[in-house]
Amino acid sequence: MRVLLVEDERALAETIRRGLTNEGFVVDVAHDGVSGQWMATENPYDVIVLDIMLPGRNGYDVLRNIRELLIWTPALMLTAKDGEYDQTDAFELGADDYLTKPFSFIVLVARLRALVRRGAPVRPVTLTVGDLVLDPNTRIVSRGGQRITLTAKEFAVLQFLMRHPEDVLSKAEILDNAWDHAFDGSDNIVEVYIGYLRKKIDVAFGVQSLETVRGMGYRLMPVTVGTAP
């Protein structure tokens, strides 16, 4: 069972890592939210242990971002905060369990094993904007029932746009969600991929759904083939 532990208290992280390893888990450790999010998106895990108070990016944001990317790995939030409001926030963002510090290691192991047995829940994943449909599980995209072939990066950009229909999304937001944090090139790459997408999802069908909002970014509008944009 492979675990991602995101915990900035290094002594505590090492104690948990050693304990879980002795219990038969394979444990990867990140000490900040940015690294933790990158690892969660780049590697398959059976369960994620995620602290809320993290440097770089807090646990709430990490959880929100990986759920927006349709990563449903069970997540247990680990924090010194124990208010009802904090627990509510965590569950609304997609957490599967919650444990406050200080905690019993035996309880942590039991809860992790329960989450692994339960597995990632089945969640609705098909995205629809107008007659444009994207299924993250099958990686199939279609408009009006006609299949559209996309590259992996085109798919990632479109998926983010379709999760926020009619919202104006900046280049920085698209770059942050469709490229990993190791990318250090210009955000003009987003404009290039928007052009690629526009040809495939709009021009090929005679519609205009992917709009450029000058000086602000891009937005995807619900359009149906055969009707005016």
Side-chain angles (χ1 to χ4, degrees), residues 69-131:
L69 292 172
L70 305 182
I71 296 171
W72 303 118
T73 306
L76 183 148
M77 305 300 286
L78 191 62
T79 180
K81 305 173 85 174
D82 59 358
E84 181 179 348
Y85 183 73
D86 301 310
Q87 296 184 41
T88 301
D89 280 353
F91 287 125
E92 286 183 350
L93 287 171
D96 299 277
D97 204 350
Y98 190 101
L99 194 60
T100 57
K101 303 174 186 177
F103 57 88
S104 162
F105 182 75
I106 295 174
V107 172
L108 173 63
V109 171
R111 291 194 177 186
L112 292 183
R113 292 193 187 282
L115 289 177
V116 171
R117 285 196 303 269
R118 200 180 311 159
V122 177
R123 314 203 188 197
V125 295
T126 300
L127 305 175
T128 302
V129 180
D131 64 355

Side-chain angles (χ1 to χ4, degrees), residues 1 17-26 105-106 109 113:
M1 292 176 285
R17 187 198 67 78
R18 287 201 309 266
L20 291 179
T21 300
N22 290 336
E23 291 291 330
F25 292 87
V26 175
F105 182 75
I106 295 174
V109 171
R113 292 193 187 282

Side-chain angles (χ1 to χ4, degrees), residues 132-135 139-142 147-159 161-162 193-202 205:
L132 188 64
V133 179
L134 181 149
D135 187 331
R139 312 288 291 184
I140 292 176
V141 177
S142 63
R147 290 274 292 270
I148 302 171
T149 301
L150 300 179
T151 66
K153 191 58 65 180
E154 290 166 352
F155 186 93
V157 173
L158 181 61
Q159 179 171 299
L161 291 166
M162 291 186 69
Y193 275 88
I194 289 292
Y196 294 157
L197 274 177
R198 188 172 278 134
K199 290 178 182 178
K200 292 185 176 182
I201 70 171
D202 280 356
F205 294 89

Side-chain angles (χ1 to χ4, degrees), residues 128-216:
T128 302
V129 180
D131 64 355
L132 188 64
V133 179
L134 181 149
D135 187 331
N137 280 339
T138 62
R139 312 288 291 184
I140 292 176
V141 177
S142 63
R143 185 182 280 285
Q146 184 174 334
R147 290 274 292 270
I148 302 171
T149 301
L150 300 179
T151 66
K153 191 58 65 180
E154 290 166 352
F155 186 93
V157 173
L158 181 61
Q159 179 171 299
F160 181 59
L161 291 166
M162 291 186 69
R163 288 192 64 80
H164 303 274
E166 301 186 56
D167 290 347
V168 178
L169 303 173
S170 68
K171 286 183 180 180
E173 289 174 313
I174 297 172
L175 191 67
D176 188 49
N177 282 272
W179 276 261
D180 64 50
H181 294 284
F183 179 78
D184 60 358
S186 168
D187 64 3
N188 286 334
I189 191 68
V190 174
E191 185 176 345
V192 173
Y193 275 88
I194 289 292
Y196 294 157
L197 274 177
R198 188 172 278 134
K199 290 178 182 178
K200 292 185 176 182
I201 70 171
D202 280 356
V203 175
F205 294 89
V207 297
Q208 298 177 27
S209 64
L210 186 46
E211 300 180 349
T212 299
V213 181
R214 191 173 299 278
M216 297 180 65

